[in-house]
Amino acid sequence: MLAAELVALPLADRLLAMEALWDSLCREPDAKYPTPDWHADVLHARITALDTGKETAVPWDEAKARIRAKAQVLARQPQ
């Protein structure tokens, strides 16, 4: 599928495609993906927010369920 075709998909389908791509990248055992330096800054800020109680975490399964529910709602809206 071409990028232009992906962009034309409804939001819910684009989110599913994005999830499938990320999952496939995670299964590449020997792949080395460079991580931008700013990622460490964001991670440290988020850890600090969790440690100080400014943010709370939810289990990954719950987070995915919330994201999928929002995507379904958005998919039903006219584009």
Side-chain angles (χ1 to χ4, degrees), residues 1-68:
M1 182 175 282
L2 299 174
E5 294 171 306
L6 284 170
V7 172
L9 291 172
L11 178 61
D13 292 338
R14 286 183 282 154
L15 288 169
L16 290 172
M18 183 175 61
E19 184 177 356
L21 284 171
W22 276 118
D23 287 346
S24 72
L25 290 172
C26 292
R27 286 194 217 63
E28 296 287 331
D30 299 325
K32 302 279 188 219
Y33 303 104
T35 303
D37 292 337
W38 64 268
H39 280 198
D41 296 336
V42 171
L43 289 173
H44 290 299
R46 290 183 179 174
I47 290 169
T48 299
L50 285 168
D51 289 345
T52 60
K54 291 181 182 177
E55 296 287 341
T56 58
V58 297
W60 178 232
D61 288 339
E62 182 181 334
K64 283 197 301 187
R66 288 182 187 179
I67 292 167
R68 286 187 174 129

